[in-house]
Amino acid sequence: MTAEIRPVDHVIAAARAFLGERISTNAAVRDQHARGEDTTTPVQPDAVVFVESTEEVSQLLALCHRHGVPVTPFGAGTSLEGHVTPIRAGISLDLSRMTAILDVSQDDMDCLIEPGVTRHQLNDHLRDQGLFFPVDPGSHCTIGGMVATRASGTNAVRYGTIRENVMGLEVVMADGRVINTGSRTRKAANGYDLTRLIIGSEGTLGVVTKIRLRLHGIPEATSAAVVQFPDMRGCVESVIAVMQLGVPVARIELLDEVQIAACIAYSKLENLEVLPTLFLEFHGTEAGVREQAESVQAITTDMGGLGFAWAADQETRNKLWTARHNAYWAAIASQPNSRGVTTDVCVPISRLADALLGAREDILVSGLSCPLVGHVGDGNFHTVILVDQDDPAALDRAWALDRKIVARGLALGGTCSGEHGVGMGKAEFLEQEHGPEALAVMRSIKNTLDPKGILNPGKIFRN
Amino acid sequence: MTAEIRPVDHVIAAARAFLGERISTNAAVRDQHARGEDTTTPVQPDAVVFVESTEEVSQLLALCHRHGVPVTPFGAGTSLEGHVTPIRAGISLDLSRMTAILDVSQDDMDCLIEPGVTRHQLNDHLRDQGLFFPVDPGSHCTIGGMVATRASGTNAVRYGTIRENVMGLEVVMADGRVINTGSRTRKAANGYDLTRLIIGSEGTLGVVTKIRLRLHGIPEATSAAVVQFPDMRGCVESVIAVMQLGVPVARIELLDEVQIAACIAYSKLENLEVLPTLFLEFHGTEAGVREQAESVQAITTDMGGLGFAWAADQETRNKLWTARHNAYWAAIASQPNSRGVTTDVCVPISRLADALLGAREDILVSGLSCPLVGHVGDGNFHTVILVDQDDPAALDRAWALDRKIVARGLALGGTCSGEHGVGMGKAEFLEQEHGPEALAVMRSIKNTLDPKGILNPGKIFRN
């Protein structure tokens, strides 16, 4: 009697022929690919593959398709919703070594990159050319991961999300076929929008291997400011007023007093009080920036804002925005031995006060520690529900609070996810949000493009 | 022996039960629905249905699905690419009576409308509320038609196309199921982007019955200007420079001397010379508008522009933009008994001079009369190839010229359609533009969502 050879063993053996040392079954490597930064239960893949070209991705997917082996794409592993957890084991497809910046056009303000490029790497590369890529999630994620999850960040209020900043993609489909989507033009009415279909599909329809991004000119002038408020309501109402007045702010970020306390400790923001706070940034011409800032200053003063602290020099601005980008880590560090369950509710701007102040009530009732921070110009905010890693009951309480905050967001006409994606964490809300008919249409597209269900199973759709 | 009853007769009989007089087999009505404003061969549908509700669309599609009867959606009939030509007869589904504006939110700057609403109707409705809807194709089209064809217009350079201004849709699928897509939030990472999949699908995947649009605040200040140039190159190079400098112009439209001659005659623009011309508009604060205009004036002067004629008062501006929106009709009127074959090439901005001046060479060689006009800030321009309606040979020559101009656009990294859609007219170019693999993915989605192929057959895909 011989031991049964599993389908994945065929894939591993065949892939070794063209990947050599770049396919690993080492336990430590598999462990590093067992989940992201979320609280899902870790699952080790059978093997981790470090691909370096489209051709390799194509060969690997053709193999997995033939043998019915699951493939879970992996970038920087910063997902907060279980996207990279290979819940049915199989292959973890690590794209983090595909970091080539293949082309930058100053004239057309676009570039072609591989998916493992991070936004930091890209912006370092672009700086000398007077260009920048605006989409900036807090984490050191890959741009491939951002495409997969339809990510955004602090600048989205002015420059849009990744959805508005991708012009086209190269995608390897489930069976290994390679397609090109989109166009290098600013607009096109040339058939189905496969680019937008792939963006936000979380690795369930295909694997992105090249990305053409729209870039922006570094603004002539930039200034930033911080305003603190005696209470949350004035803080939130200021945001709503700024947006309704149409001031084209580049960033308008809210941190509640729990979050700001964590940031003061983590990022040494000595000048700030433990009060609800707005971080602001303005982009434009010298005159335009001044005009915007004056409008916002007038509004926040009117709403009870305590002064308007300028951060005109680049060093002060960098410190401010680094602190904002590290808010998640500041939150995690504020409580020993913790991980975070993160909500990502986004609502129409008119409902922001209800959603946000309601979430604060829910948090208070729960008794959990839970900093709140938000891309409030877009109506989007996060609560980072802190749980002791070693206390399963705490995790259950955190999920109960998460459900309550999301349910309130949906009831206010919002979405369960503004920017983190669905993954496993938000899949339970999709039917309520879209209705069973729309979800069935999504499933039928999934089944058509990935008939064997090998691509990132268990994500977006609950099984 | 009894006469055979055709499937469409079953549909007509059953539909009469719930539509009464609103299903018509009258020859004149069928003739009005036999094609749009294009040069396709007219085909009469078997019946025209004037629907008034989602429920009626759903019932009708369920019937047509059951009997395998083709359905061609019809709005205002302004398509230039054969979208509304019912090439396999069946039902012409006229949505032009669904004109309700169901909801306008000033706080969230959005609205919910039915698909038969035109942009004029919507903007008339919004004006008192300080809001406007920016997407403005030249024609009196319906917004449903704009969604179907991924339309844009003169303001897209600043405000984006319909793709960026639709938040969500209600769609009746081929079998009559009704789905809701999208979200009222400014961003969402909540599953597949069905909204963007439907936008630009030209009635081949479903019929749009409600549209939630993003609106914009009427700018504090608006000014417009006209600049003429001694030659085309200076005119085009000015546009490229303005865009590469990142001046946020609201409109930048080019008309060549053939088009401007037609417009002078049609719209009585007595003050203009027969020279290559730019029409410009600036939106912003008083100071911002002044700043933008000064930047553009400096550029155009540098490129040989002959002065900079202001149109600050609203009456002069209206005359200017009405003339621009009537450019197509001015072109048609410039040659007796003519119809137009229209190209809609869009290229990356750095290739605009090559594409546009190359097209002018092609026109010269062809000997055909052909005004050229363009949304040049987006790299998009139209040539309206004028043909005598009664001369089939002229139509063949026009199509030969069209193919040449499109082929040049594709070779320059462009698209066959910037905003008019594929329809029948541009379907032959899709395989070259996207490659066979991507086109096969589009077809597989079509076959999944419309397995009997009843929805607008023969459009986008060649049969």
Side-chain angles (χ1 to χ4, degrees), chain A residues 105-110 149-153 156-158 161 163-164 166 173 177-194 196-197 199-202 204-205 214 220 243-246 285-288 291 344 346-351 375 377-380 413-422 430 433-434 437-446 448-449 460-461, chain B residues 105-110 149-153 156-158 161 163-164 166 173 177-194 196-197 199-202 204-205 214 220 243-246 285-288 291 344 346-351 375 377-380 413-422 430 433-434 437-446 448-449 460-461:
Chain A
S105 166
Q106 275 189 289
D107 286 346
D108 289 312
M109 297 207 283
D110 67 11
T149 55
R150 204 181 296 130
S152 41
V157 64
R158 167 80 174 246
T161 72
R163 185 178 75 190
E164 288 79 31
V166 169
M173 306 305 288
R177 273 180 306 165
V178 181
I179 68 166
N180 283 283
T181 75
S183 153
R184 276 194 77 178
T185 58
R186 287 170 57 103
K187 63 183 198 181
N190 58 353
Y192 301 164
D193 192 344
L194 298 182
R196 250 48 58 176
L197 182 65
I199 293 172
S201 67
E202 306 188 1
T204 65
L205 297 180
R214 188 168 170 178
E220 179 189 319
M243 295 308 297
Q244 289 180 348
L245 207 73
T285 61
E286 293 287 352
E291 200 171 44
D344 180 25
C346 187
V347 293
I349 196 77
S350 70
R351 316 311 293 272
H375 311 305
D378 289 319
N380 181 211
T415 173
C416 65
S417 177
E419 59 177 17
H420 292 169
V422 178
L430 278 208
E433 183 166 338
H434 296 292
E437 296 82 5
L439 205 60
V441 169
M442 291 187 202
R443 268 189 202 274
S444 70
I445 294 170
K446 165 70 176 175
T448 300
L449 299 185
I460 297 183
F461 309 106
Chain B
S105 166
Q106 274 189 292
D107 286 347
D108 289 313
M109 297 207 283
D110 67 11
T149 55
R150 205 182 293 130
S152 41
V157 65
R158 168 82 173 244
T161 71
R163 185 179 75 191
E164 288 78 31
V166 169
M173 306 304 289
R177 274 179 306 164
V178 181
I179 68 167
N180 283 283
T181 76
S183 153
R184 275 194 76 178
T185 58
R186 287 170 57 102
K187 62 184 197 179
N190 58 354
Y192 301 165
D193 191 344
L194 298 182
R196 251 47 60 176
L197 182 64
I199 293 173
S201 67
E202 306 187 2
T204 65
L205 297 180
R214 189 169 169 175
E220 179 189 318
M243 294 308 295
Q244 289 180 348
L245 208 73
T285 60
E286 293 287 352
E291 200 171 47
D344 180 26
C346 187
V347 294
I349 196 79
S350 70
R351 316 311 292 272
H375 311 304
D378 290 319
N380 181 211
T415 174
C416 65
S417 175
E419 58 178 16
H420 291 169
V422 178
L430 277 208
E433 184 167 339
H434 297 291
E437 296 83 4
L439 205 59
V441 169
M442 292 186 203
R443 268 188 202 274
S444 70
I445 294 170
K446 164 70 175 175
T448 300
L449 299 184
I460 299 183
F461 309 106

Side-chain angles (χ1 to χ4, degrees), chain B residues 234-365:
Chain B
C235 191
V236 182
E237 298 285 358
S238 292
V239 175
I240 297 174
V242 166
M243 294 308 295
Q244 289 180 348
L245 208 73
V247 184
V249 287
R251 289 167 156 163
I252 183 164
E253 295 286 309
L254 181 148
L255 301 88
D256 81 347
E257 64 273 34
V258 185
Q259 179 68 60
I260 203 78
C263 288
I264 290 170
Y266 189 86
S267 298
K268 309 200 176 13
L269 301 176
E270 305 84 2
N271 300 327
L272 295 182
E273 305 291 322
V274 179
L275 287 172
T277 305
L278 290 183
F279 287 6
L280 292 148
E281 191 164 278
F282 309 101
H283 292 178
T285 60
E286 293 287 352
V289 161
R290 200 161 42 240
E291 200 171 47
Q292 291 173 46
E294 281 164 7
S295 299
V296 173
Q297 187 163 17
I299 291 167
T300 54
T301 304
D302 217 40
M303 299 283 181
L306 306 164
F308 203 74
W310 291 99
D313 65 293
Q314 189 160 356
E315 197 183 336
T316 316
R317 283 209 312 274
N318 284 352
K319 184 168 179 187
L320 197 66
W321 294 115
T322 303
R324 170 60 192 89
H325 283 126
N326 287 334
Y328 178 77
W329 295 113
I332 298 293
S334 72
Q335 185 171 293
N337 196 41
S338 68
R339 277 181 97 86
V341 170
T342 313
T343 69
D344 180 26
V345 164
C346 187
V347 294
I349 196 79
S350 70
R351 316 311 292 272
L352 182 62
D354 290 345
L356 206 148
L357 299 175
R360 298 244 306 173
E361 287 294 317
D362 295 335
I363 293 166
L364 206 65
V365 170

Side-chain angles (χ1 to χ4, degrees), chain A residues 168-360:
Chain A
L169 300 169
E170 178 186 82
V171 187
V172 182
M173 306 305 288
D175 58 5
R177 273 180 306 165
V178 181
I179 68 166
N180 283 283
T181 75
S183 153
R184 276 194 77 178
T185 58
R186 287 170 57 103
K187 63 183 198 181
N190 58 353
Y192 301 164
D193 192 344
L194 298 182
T195 307
R196 250 48 58 176
L197 182 65
I198 295 295
I199 293 172
S201 67
E202 306 188 1
T204 65
L205 297 180
V207 176
V208 172
T209 46
K210 287 198 186 75
I211 305 162
R212 186 165 292 276
L213 292 171
R214 188 168 170 178
L215 303 173
H216 299 261
I218 293 176
E220 179 189 319
T222 299
S223 77
V226 178
V227 201
Q228 298 203 290
F229 293 80
D231 59 40
M232 275 291 281
R233 186 165 286 278
C235 191
V236 182
E237 299 286 358
S238 293
V239 175
I240 297 173
V242 167
M243 295 308 297
Q244 289 180 348
L245 207 73
V247 184
V249 287
R251 290 167 156 163
I252 183 164
E253 294 286 310
L254 180 149
L255 302 87
D256 81 347
E257 64 273 33
V258 186
Q259 180 68 59
I260 204 78
C263 288
I264 290 170
Y266 189 86
S267 298
K268 309 199 177 14
L269 302 175
E270 305 84 2
N271 300 328
L272 296 182
E273 306 291 323
V274 179
L275 287 172
T277 305
L278 291 182
F279 287 7
L280 292 147
E281 191 164 277
F282 308 101
H283 292 176
T285 61
E286 293 287 352
V289 161
R290 201 162 39 243
E291 200 171 44
Q292 291 172 46
E294 280 164 7
S295 300
V296 174
Q297 187 164 18
I299 291 167
T300 55
T301 304
D302 217 40
M303 299 282 179
L306 308 164
F308 203 74
W310 291 98
D313 65 293
Q314 188 159 356
E315 199 183 334
T316 315
R317 282 210 310 275
N318 285 352
K319 186 170 177 184
L320 196 67
W321 293 114
T322 303
R324 171 60 192 89
H325 283 126
N326 287 334
Y328 178 76
W329 295 112
I332 297 292
S334 72
Q335 183 171 296
N337 197 42
S338 67
R339 276 182 98 84
V341 170
T342 313
T343 68
D344 180 25
V345 163
C346 187
V347 293
I349 196 77
S350 70
R351 316 311 293 272
L352 182 62
D354 290 344
L356 206 148
L357 299 175
R360 297 246 306 174

